[in-house]
PDB file of all heavy atoms in Angstrom:
ATOM      1  N   THR A 428     -15.308   3.157   8.515  1.00 98.00           N
ATOM      2  CA  THR A 428     -15.654   3.595   9.869  1.00 98.00           C
ATOM      3  C   THR A 428     -15.017   2.681  10.909  1.00 98.00           C
ATOM      4  O   THR A 428     -14.482   3.142  11.927  1.00 98.00           O
ATOM      5  CB  THR A 428     -17.189   3.652  10.037  1.00 98.00           C
ATOM      6  OG1 THR A 428     -17.724   4.456   8.968  1.00 98.00           O
ATOM      7  CG2 THR A 428     -17.580   4.267  11.366  1.00 98.00           C
ATOM      8  N   VAL A 429     -15.037   1.375  10.645  1.00 98.00           N
ATOM      9  CA  VAL A 429     -14.389   0.420  11.558  1.00 98.00           C
ATOM     10  C   VAL A 429     -12.890   0.725  11.648  1.00 98.00           C
ATOM     11  O   VAL A 429     -12.310   0.755  12.747  1.00 98.00           O
ATOM     12  CB  VAL A 429     -14.614  -1.037  11.087  1.00 98.00           C
ATOM     13  CG1 VAL A 429     -13.743  -2.002  11.891  1.00 98.00           C
ATOM     14  CG2 VAL A 429     -16.083  -1.419  11.199  1.00 98.00           C
ATOM     15  N   ASP A 430     -12.252   0.968  10.503  1.00 98.00           N
ATOM     16  CA  ASP A 430     -10.818   1.305  10.513  1.00 98.00           C
ATOM     17  C   ASP A 430     -10.560   2.546  11.366  1.00 98.00           C
ATOM     18  O   ASP A 430      -9.611   2.578  12.161  1.00 98.00           O
ATOM     19  CB  ASP A 430     -10.316   1.573   9.081  1.00 98.00           C
ATOM     20  CG  ASP A 430      -9.974   0.287   8.329  1.00 98.00           C
ATOM     21  OD1 ASP A 430      -9.823  -0.769   8.979  1.00 98.00           O
ATOM     22  OD2 ASP A 430      -9.853   0.350   7.085  1.00 98.00           O
ATOM     23  N   ALA A 431     -11.388   3.570  11.202  1.00 98.00           N
ATOM     24  CA  ALA A 431     -11.198   4.822  11.963  1.00 98.00           C
ATOM     25  C   ALA A 431     -11.351   4.572  13.462  1.00 98.00           C
ATOM     26  O   ALA A 431     -10.576   5.091  14.276  1.00 98.00           O
ATOM     27  CB  ALA A 431     -12.192   5.882  11.489  1.00 98.00           C
ATOM     28  N   GLU A 432     -12.353   3.775  13.829  1.00 98.00           N
ATOM     29  CA  GLU A 432     -12.587   3.494  15.255  1.00 98.00           C
ATOM     30  C   GLU A 432     -11.440   2.669  15.846  1.00 98.00           C
ATOM     31  O   GLU A 432     -10.940   2.969  16.942  1.00 98.00           O
ATOM     32  CB  GLU A 432     -13.917   2.753  15.422  1.00 98.00           C
ATOM     33  CG  GLU A 432     -15.134   3.607  15.090  1.00 98.00           C
ATOM     34  CD  GLU A 432     -16.425   2.789  15.152  1.00 98.00           C
ATOM     35  OE1 GLU A 432     -16.642   1.938  14.258  1.00 98.00           O
ATOM     36  OE2 GLU A 432     -17.198   2.991  16.099  1.00 98.00           O
ATOM     37  N   ALA A 433     -11.037   1.622  15.132  1.00 98.00           N
ATOM     38  CA  ALA A 433      -9.969   0.752  15.642  1.00 98.00           C
ATOM     39  C   ALA A 433      -8.644   1.513  15.729  1.00 98.00           C
ATOM     40  O   ALA A 433      -7.882   1.365  16.691  1.00 98.00           O
ATOM     41  CB  ALA A 433      -9.828  -0.478  14.738  1.00 98.00           C
ATOM     42  N   MET A 434      -8.388   2.367  14.737  1.00 98.00           N
ATOM     43  CA  MET A 434      -7.167   3.173  14.735  1.00 98.00           C
ATOM     44  C   MET A 434      -7.152   4.120  15.944  1.00 98.00           C
ATOM     45  O   MET A 434      -6.141   4.274  16.639  1.00 98.00           O
ATOM     46  CB  MET A 434      -7.101   3.984  13.430  1.00 98.00           C
ATOM     47  CG  MET A 434      -5.820   4.742  13.200  1.00 98.00           C
ATOM     48  SD  MET A 434      -5.896   5.737  11.664  1.00 98.00           S
ATOM     49  CE  MET A 434      -5.595   4.494  10.425  1.00 98.00           C
ATOM     50  N   THR A 435      -8.288   4.742  16.201  1.00 98.00           N
ATOM     51  CA  THR A 435      -8.403   5.656  17.342  1.00 98.00           C
ATOM     52  C   THR A 435      -8.163   4.916  18.653  1.00 98.00           C
ATOM     53  O   THR A 435      -7.426   5.390  19.531  1.00 98.00           O
ATOM     54  CB  THR A 435      -9.803   6.298  17.362  1.00 98.00           C
ATOM     55  OG1 THR A 435     -10.053   6.893  16.090  1.00 98.00           O
ATOM     56  CG2 THR A 435      -9.910   7.355  18.449  1.00 98.00           C
ATOM     57  N   ALA A 436      -8.783   3.731  18.793  1.00 98.00           N
ATOM     58  CA  ALA A 436      -8.646   2.953  20.031  1.00 98.00           C
ATOM     59  C   ALA A 436      -7.186   2.574  20.260  1.00 98.00           C
ATOM     60  O   ALA A 436      -6.670   2.661  21.384  1.00 98.00           O
ATOM     61  CB  ALA A 436      -9.528   1.705  19.963  1.00 98.00           C
ATOM     62  N   LEU A 437      -6.496   2.169  19.195  1.00 98.00           N
ATOM     63  CA  LEU A 437      -5.091   1.766  19.347  1.00 98.00           C
ATOM     64  C   LEU A 437      -4.224   2.959  19.728  1.00 98.00           C
ATOM     65  O   LEU A 437      -3.366   2.862  20.615  1.00 98.00           O
ATOM     66  CB  LEU A 437      -4.565   1.137  18.055  1.00 98.00           C
ATOM     67  CG  LEU A 437      -3.131   0.613  18.176  1.00 98.00           C
ATOM     68  CD1 LEU A 437      -3.110  -0.749  18.870  1.00 98.00           C
ATOM     69  CD2 LEU A 437      -2.456   0.518  16.823  1.00 98.00           C
ATOM     70  N   LEU A 438      -4.455   4.104  19.079  1.00 98.00           N
ATOM     71  CA  LEU A 438      -3.669   5.300  19.417  1.00 98.00           C
ATOM     72  C   LEU A 438      -3.934   5.725  20.863  1.00 98.00           C
ATOM     73  O   LEU A 438      -3.021   6.153  21.576  1.00 98.00           O
ATOM     74  CB  LEU A 438      -3.999   6.458  18.448  1.00 98.00           C
ATOM     75  CG  LEU A 438      -3.498   6.280  17.009  1.00 98.00           C
ATOM     76  CD1 LEU A 438      -3.968   7.449  16.136  1.00 98.00           C
ATOM     77  CD2 LEU A 438      -1.971   6.154  16.948  1.00 98.00           C
ATOM     78  N   TYR A 439      -5.182   5.606  21.282  1.00 98.00           N
ATOM     79  CA  TYR A 439      -5.538   5.939  22.670  1.00 98.00           C
ATOM     80  C   TYR A 439      -4.763   5.042  23.640  1.00 98.00           C
ATOM     81  O   TYR A 439      -4.162   5.515  24.602  1.00 98.00           O
ATOM     82  CB  TYR A 439      -7.047   5.780  22.851  1.00 98.00           C
ATOM     83  CG  TYR A 439      -7.515   5.916  24.274  1.00 98.00           C
ATOM     84  CD1 TYR A 439      -7.889   7.151  24.790  1.00 98.00           C
ATOM     85  CD2 TYR A 439      -7.576   4.796  25.118  1.00 98.00           C
ATOM     86  CE1 TYR A 439      -8.314   7.273  26.110  1.00 98.00           C
ATOM     87  CE2 TYR A 439      -7.998   4.909  26.428  1.00 98.00           C
ATOM     88  CZ  TYR A 439      -8.359   6.154  26.927  1.00 98.00           C
ATOM     89  OH  TYR A 439      -8.763   6.270  28.230  1.00 98.00           O
ATOM     90  N   ASP A 440      -4.782   3.735  23.372  1.00 98.00           N
ATOM     91  CA  ASP A 440      -4.058   2.801  24.249  1.00 98.00           C
ATOM     92  C   ASP A 440      -2.565   3.120  24.283  1.00 98.00           C
ATOM     93  O   ASP A 440      -1.926   3.082  25.334  1.00 98.00           O
ATOM     94  CB  ASP A 440      -4.246   1.356  23.765  1.00 98.00           C
ATOM     95  CG  ASP A 440      -5.637   0.827  24.067  1.00 98.00           C
ATOM     96  OD1 ASP A 440      -6.338   1.427  24.909  1.00 98.00           O
ATOM     97  OD2 ASP A 440      -6.022  -0.198  23.457  1.00 98.00           O
ATOM     98  N   PHE A 441      -2.025   3.421  23.110  1.00 98.00           N
ATOM     99  CA  PHE A 441      -0.587   3.704  23.019  1.00 98.00           C
ATOM    100  C   PHE A 441      -0.255   4.970  23.810  1.00 98.00           C
ATOM    101  O   PHE A 441       0.775   5.053  24.484  1.00 98.00           O
ATOM    102  CB  PHE A 441      -0.187   3.863  21.547  1.00 98.00           C
ATOM    103  CG  PHE A 441       1.294   3.860  21.314  1.00 98.00           C
ATOM    104  CD1 PHE A 441       1.995   2.672  21.208  1.00 98.00           C
ATOM    105  CD2 PHE A 441       1.999   5.058  21.209  1.00 98.00           C
ATOM    106  CE1 PHE A 441       3.375   2.665  20.993  1.00 98.00           C
ATOM    107  CE2 PHE A 441       3.372   5.064  20.990  1.00 98.00           C
ATOM    108  CZ  PHE A 441       4.063   3.867  20.881  1.00 98.00           C
ATOM    109  N   ALA A 442      -1.149   5.951  23.744  1.00 98.00           N
ATOM    110  CA  ALA A 442      -0.890   7.225  24.430  1.00 98.00           C
ATOM    111  C   ALA A 442      -1.070   7.125  25.937  1.00 98.00           C
ATOM    112  O   ALA A 442      -0.451   7.879  26.688  1.00 98.00           O
ATOM    113  CB  ALA A 442      -1.813   8.307  23.862  1.00 98.00           C
ATOM    114  N   THR A 443      -1.924   6.213  26.361  1.00 97.00           N
ATOM    115  CA  THR A 443      -2.295   6.211  27.782  1.00 97.00           C
ATOM    116  C   THR A 443      -1.627   5.113  28.617  1.00 97.00           C
ATOM    117  O   THR A 443      -1.741   5.123  29.827  1.00 97.00           O
ATOM    118  CB  THR A 443      -3.830   6.058  27.939  1.00 97.00           C
ATOM    119  OG1 THR A 443      -4.252   4.904  27.197  1.00 97.00           O
ATOM    120  CG2 THR A 443      -4.564   7.288  27.442  1.00 97.00           C
ATOM    121  N   HIS A 444      -0.949   4.174  27.994  1.00 98.00           N
ATOM    122  CA  HIS A 444      -0.335   3.068  28.749  1.00 98.00           C
ATOM    123  C   HIS A 444       1.169   3.006  28.483  1.00 98.00           C
ATOM    124  O   HIS A 444       1.593   2.399  27.499  1.00 98.00           O
ATOM    125  CB  HIS A 444      -0.960   1.721  28.352  1.00 98.00           C
ATOM    126  CG  HIS A 444      -2.377   1.563  28.779  1.00 98.00           C
ATOM    127  ND1 HIS A 444      -3.427   2.037  28.033  1.00 98.00           N
ATOM    128  CD2 HIS A 444      -2.913   0.981  29.873  1.00 98.00           C
ATOM    129  CE1 HIS A 444      -4.561   1.742  28.660  1.00 98.00           C
ATOM    130  NE2 HIS A 444      -4.276   1.102  29.776  1.00 98.00           N
ATOM    131  N   PRO A 445       1.987   3.600  29.393  1.00 98.00           N
ATOM    132  CA  PRO A 445       3.449   3.563  29.186  1.00 98.00           C
ATOM    133  C   PRO A 445       3.989   2.138  29.073  1.00 98.00           C
ATOM    134  O   PRO A 445       4.900   1.873  28.296  1.00 98.00           O
ATOM    135  CB  PRO A 445       4.015   4.261  30.426  1.00 98.00           C
ATOM    136  CG  PRO A 445       2.864   4.878  31.133  1.00 98.00           C
ATOM    137  CD  PRO A 445       1.591   4.314  30.606  1.00 98.00           C
ATOM    138  N   GLU A 446       3.414   1.206  29.846  1.00 98.00           N
ATOM    139  CA  GLU A 446       3.938  -0.167  29.804  1.00 98.00           C
ATOM    140  C   GLU A 446       3.624  -0.826  28.465  1.00 98.00           C
ATOM    141  O   GLU A 446       4.352  -1.685  27.992  1.00 98.00           O
ATOM    142  CB  GLU A 446       3.417  -0.992  30.996  1.00 98.00           C
ATOM    143  CG  GLU A 446       1.985  -1.486  30.897  1.00 98.00           C
ATOM    144  CD  GLU A 446       0.920  -0.383  31.049  1.00 98.00           C
ATOM    145  OE1 GLU A 446       1.260   0.791  31.285  1.00 98.00           O
ATOM    146  OE2 GLU A 446      -0.274  -0.719  30.913  1.00 98.00           O
ATOM    147  N   TYR A 447       2.554  -0.372  27.822  1.00 98.00           N
ATOM    148  CA  TYR A 447       2.250  -0.875  26.476  1.00 98.00           C
ATOM    149  C   TYR A 447       3.279  -0.357  25.473  1.00 98.00           C
ATOM    150  O   TYR A 447       3.788  -1.101  24.631  1.00 98.00           O
ATOM    151  CB  TYR A 447       0.824  -0.453  26.085  1.00 98.00           C
ATOM    152  CG  TYR A 447       0.382  -0.918  24.708  1.00 98.00           C
ATOM    153  CD1 TYR A 447       0.630  -2.214  24.270  1.00 98.00           C
ATOM    154  CD2 TYR A 447      -0.308  -0.057  23.850  1.00 98.00           C
ATOM    155  CE1 TYR A 447       0.215  -2.640  23.007  1.00 98.00           C
ATOM    156  CE2 TYR A 447      -0.731  -0.474  22.596  1.00 98.00           C
ATOM    157  CZ  TYR A 447      -0.461  -1.763  22.177  1.00 98.00           C
ATOM    158  OH  TYR A 447      -0.867  -2.174  20.930  1.00 98.00           O
ATOM    159  N   ARG A 448       3.607   0.922  25.600  1.00 98.00           N
ATOM    160  CA  ARG A 448       4.629   1.485  24.703  1.00 98.00           C
ATOM    161  C   ARG A 448       5.954   0.736  24.867  1.00 98.00           C
ATOM    162  O   ARG A 448       6.656   0.478  23.892  1.00 98.00           O
ATOM    163  CB  ARG A 448       4.833   2.980  25.001  1.00 98.00           C
ATOM    164  CG  ARG A 448       3.639   3.840  24.638  1.00 98.00           C
ATOM    165  CD  ARG A 448       4.033   5.300  24.498  1.00 98.00           C
ATOM    166  NE  ARG A 448       4.415   5.937  25.742  1.00 98.00           N
ATOM    167  CZ  ARG A 448       3.541   6.455  26.624  1.00 98.00           C
ATOM    168  NH1 ARG A 448       2.239   6.382  26.392  1.00 98.00           N
ATOM    169  NH2 ARG A 448       3.968   7.040  27.723  1.00 98.00           N
ATOM    170  N   GLU A 449       6.273   0.389  26.126  1.00 98.00           N
ATOM    171  CA  GLU A 449       7.518  -0.356  26.375  1.00 98.00           C
ATOM    172  C   GLU A 449       7.477  -1.722  25.697  1.00 98.00           C
ATOM    173  O   GLU A 449       8.476  -2.180  25.133  1.00 98.00           O
ATOM    174  CB  GLU A 449       7.737  -0.542  27.884  1.00 98.00           C
ATOM    175  CG  GLU A 449       8.538   0.570  28.506  1.00 98.00           C
ATOM    176  CD  GLU A 449       8.429   0.537  30.034  1.00 98.00           C
ATOM    177  OE1 GLU A 449       8.449  -0.577  30.608  1.00 98.00           O
ATOM    178  OE2 GLU A 449       8.305   1.619  30.636  1.00 98.00           O
TER     179      GLU A 449
END
Side-chain angles (χ1 to χ4, degrees):
T428 307
V429 170
D430 277 344
E432 292 175 289
M434 187 183 281
T435 306
L437 184 80
L438 290 176
Y439 172 90
D440 286 343
F441 192 83
T443 53
H444 292 85
E446 77 288 357
Y447 180 44
R448 292 199 292 277
E449 269 166 40

